Amino acid sequence: MSHGFCSLIFGRLDVESLDFLKAFFHPGLNDIILSGAAWVVIVGAAVTAALLTWFRLWGPMWSKWLISVDHKRIGVMYIVLALIMLVRGALEGVVMRAQQADGLHGGFLSADHFAQLFSTHGTIMIFFMAMPFLTGLINIVVPLQIGARDVSFPMLNSLSLGLTVSGAMLVMISLVIGDFSTGGWSAYPPYTEPNFQPGVGPDYWIWAVTLAGLGSTLTGINFVVTIFKERAPGMSFLRMPIFTWNALCTSLLLVFAMPPLTVAALMLAADRYLGFHFFTNALGGNMMNYANLFWQFGHPEVYILVLPSFGIYGEVISTYSGKRLYGYVTLVIATMAIGFLSFGVWLHHFFTMGQDADVNAVFGIATMLIGIPTGVKVYDWMATMFRGRIRFSVPMVYALAFMVLFVLGGLTGILLANPPVDFQVHNTLFLVAHFHNMLIPGTLFGLFAGYTYWFPKVFGFRLNDRWGYIAAFNWIVGFVLSFMPLYAVGLMGLTRRAVSYTNPAFEPWLHVAGVGAIFITAALVSMCVQLYVSIRDRELTRDIGGDPWDARTLEWATPSPVPAYNFPVIPHIHALEAFAVAKGAGLGYQEPVSYSDIHLPGDTYIGVITAVFGTALGVGLVWYMWWLAWLAFAVIAVSLIARAVLGDRHPVTIPAAEIKRKYRAWLEVVRATAPVTRALEWDYRNHGVAAAEYTKEAAE
Ligand code: HEM
Ligand SMILES: [Cu+2]
């Protein structure tokens, strides 16, 4: 075969690009780690495929999950993706901590490898861990909380998932074939311009983020419309649960904040692929255009990440305090105020990049303003707990750790909002400490709280508490040990993204941070053990009544796991926390007066097609395999057009009689199940029906 023909087929791909061979070419710790990671991906994929075959799970996985448009199943698939990416992202963080613990002596990684690590770590944690996790929870919970059958656009939901998956696949493939970007999660030019990085790295970043970003934009649209249009009769805006409010605000942010990112990434692509000079600082370009576009996405993004967790904490704190949420209306106003203000502060990300002092001052003050609504929230959560009868369940442990740690992180944020302070510490580990202080307690812990809290609703059995506490303990200790020392070394002048350093004073702090990383690893292991133990013991922890925590919102009024149609009859809402009110009046489980047929959308291949050919499209673009890119693009385009023309050809109708029979049978079982008191909540006797003892309080 001639060389020209080869490059027609394989583009810029050659044997040198295969990471799993690198350890054989130049054996050394750095390359062994590099190749080892590639082998983990390859072997992991092979083992998963083998297990699915062995247990004959391909069929059910296809028909029950991959082609489903059920919002709960789509939500679960998002969360599975997020957890896989969490393992990779967190382990990359641990490797970086180990490198820096040893960094005085140069460590064990090459500078280029370290740069790829912080770039993939940041990109994964933001776009492929946190975003899918929160999108998954929103998917599962919001339609239930508002008493809807599904989201407004179920097929679009599947499409969004497919786009997110294809972005994540690209990042995974970059571990096996070729390099990832070394330009950080924000991909700033000139580091990502072709003159600086001619390889495939930044192209992986561009297409992963573009695909996933499109998915997120569509998700935002879907949920704004869903929350506006699908609420059950009687559920006015001010009767919406607080998590739904936060989800609404998040969705609005997705709609307005994701497009600037997509535009920035595509303009960067134009620079790289077509010789444009949007951001080159020569030939008329200007890097500041990138900084402005990126952070018009990037700052609202931090609220996209944190607001869903705020919503979760609201539900969790009120449920486990046995009280209604204090200051509901102020919480709603604070949420929307945060969402609005988040668009006006982006410039604090480049205080040091040469604008006027007055401009910096304005943006510094604007930034500090966000502290006000955030403070309101913290006070409302505390007031909710005040005089509550608190149960220290696992989600509550996360919530309490969050309240303490997040306030600390918020204070360092106020420090950073001062341009003169920022001039001192920007681009040091102080900043890294600050944003992990916001992202781990503020986002990750909230997502874990939500995972624990809603798990029985989705799967019909509770998660093991003991391992839940162990995991929470390890996460909290791991976070504190890993990141608090970074404030110190940051102030001492250790820059971020440093593969090594020469000042011995940094070393003890980074040793402590390294110990923290061990706890974080233990936390990941505990979560795996927890899942295993919980599945093993599932018969003992069945959530028969669907309400294991004596919770207050509508999703707990329906059986666990929730049937495809969510509610046998769409409920009429007469109050805020209508379910808690009904339980308080002894009317928690009422037989509806009449039933009717339920129509549900049919399955769709669109999600799978998008995931597979979206990945292929990305690979084609990254490696200059133009035939593959065109082919994949054509397949996606034709499928979407075909689906639009043909419509939903297999909608499902569930007859009223069947719904009636099932619902009655469930009510029967609920009435026969012994209710538990709050003291027995963690006991095997908790089968999801709350005793009148604590339902009485709920009515207050
Ligand atoms: C699970 C434990 C985690 C560990 C051990 C960890 C560790 C690290 C380390 C060592 C860095 C590089 C710091 C430097 O530049 O010197 C980093 C950067 C970063 N981390 Fe984490 N991290 C963790 C979790 C998270 C989470 C949960 C998120 C987001 C939701 C996150 C987002 C980021 C981002 C955006 C960067 C910046 C990447 C860049 O420089 O472009 N991390 N992390
Ligand atoms: Cu910001």
Side-chain angles (χ1 to χ4, degrees), residues 333-612:
I333 295 170
T335 305
M336 296 318 266
I338 290 173
F340 179 77
L341 289 174
S342 73
F343 280 97
V345 302
W346 78 92
L347 193 137
H348 64 208
H349 293 275
F350 37 92
F351 277 152
T352 58
M353 292 201 210
Q355 55 274 357
D356 200 75
D358 293 341
V359 173
N360 277 357
V362 166
F363 278 86
I365 293 166
T367 302
M368 292 180 210
L369 281 182
I370 297 190
I372 297 170
T374 314
V376 167
K377 289 195 160 207
V378 175
Y379 282 115
D380 279 338
W381 292 320
M382 295 200 306
T384 306
M385 288 177 13
F386 180 64
R387 291 199 171 152
R389 294 177 67 201
I390 298 172
R391 285 113 69 200
F392 293 98
S393 57
V394 173
M396 196 65 179
V397 168
Y398 280 119
L400 293 173
F402 153 77
M403 295 232 279
V404 176
L405 297 172
F406 190 81
V407 169
L408 277 173
L411 291 177
T412 61
I414 299 284
L415 290 180
L416 286 168
N418 281 279
V421 176
D422 189 64
F423 265 76
Q424 294 303 314
V425 295
H426 84 277
N427 272 350
T428 69
L429 284 184
F430 188 91
L431 174 79
V432 175
H434 160 70
F435 69 66
H436 283 88
N437 201 341
M438 307 313 272
L439 288 169
I440 295 181
T443 298
L444 197 61
F445 287 3
L447 298 172
F448 290 157
Y451 163 77
T452 318
Y453 183 68
W454 282 302
F455 189 94
K457 188 42 55 193
V458 177
F459 294 104
F461 58 95
R462 285 176 290 124
L463 281 171
N464 184 287
D465 281 301
R466 210 159 137 52
W467 284 100
Y469 288 120
I470 295 174
F473 170 83
N474 280 315
W475 272 115
I476 294 164
V477 173
F479 161 73
V480 170
L481 289 181
S482 281
F483 292 97
M484 292 302 161
L486 302 193
Y487 281 121
V489 283
L491 286 175
M492 290 157 73
L494 178 50
T495 53
R496 76 188 282 200
R497 298 175 177 170
V499 63
S500 62
Y501 45 88
T502 52
N503 183 349
F506 299 152
E507 200 182 33
W509 299 100
L510 292 166
H511 281 168
V512 175
V515 173
I518 298 174
F519 278 91
I520 288 173
T521 315
L524 288 174
V525 174
S526 327
M527 292 186 83
C528 296
V529 175
Q530 182 196 34
L531 195 57
Y532 168 76
V533 171
S534 312
I535 295 175
R536 188 193 65 195
D537 296 346
R538 63 189 177 280
E539 290 311 325
L540 290 170
T541 57
R542 283 269 171 236
D543 174 21
I544 296 170
D547 180 24
W549 326 122
D550 186 36
R552 317 176 66 81
T553 40
L554 212 49
E555 72 271 29
W556 304 98
T558 185
S560 304
V562 184
Y565 45 82
N566 293 355
F567 300 90
V569 170
I570 294 295
H572 282 250
I573 308 300
H574 306 291
L576 177 63
E577 300 194 333
F579 182 53
V581 172
K583 283 195 293 184
L587 302 170
Y589 302 96
Q590 291 295 299
E591 164 103 44
V593 189
S594 67
Y595 297 81
S596 46
D597 293 356
I598 293 177
H599 306 283
L600 293 176
D603 295 334
T604 176
Y605 298 142
I606 286 292
V608 183
I609 291 174
T610 318
V612 173

Side-chain angles (χ1 to χ4, degrees), residues 86 89-97 100 114 117-126 129-130 183-187 305 428-429 432 435-436 439-440 443-444 475 479 482-483 486 495-499 513 516-517 520 524:
L86 170 69
L91 289 180
E92 284 174 338
V94 169
V95 172
M96 285 189 284
R97 284 272 66 87
Q100 287 192 332
F114 189 80
L117 276 173
F118 65 66
S119 305
T120 45
H121 166 82
T123 305
I124 285 177
M125 284 299 199
I126 303 287
M129 189 287 288
W185 85 285
S186 50
L305 298 174
T428 69
L429 284 184
V432 175
F435 69 66
H436 283 88
L439 288 169
I440 295 181
T443 298
L444 197 61
W475 272 115
F479 161 73
S482 281
F483 292 97
L486 302 193
T495 53
R496 76 188 282 200
R497 298 175 177 170
V499 63
I520 288 173
L524 288 174

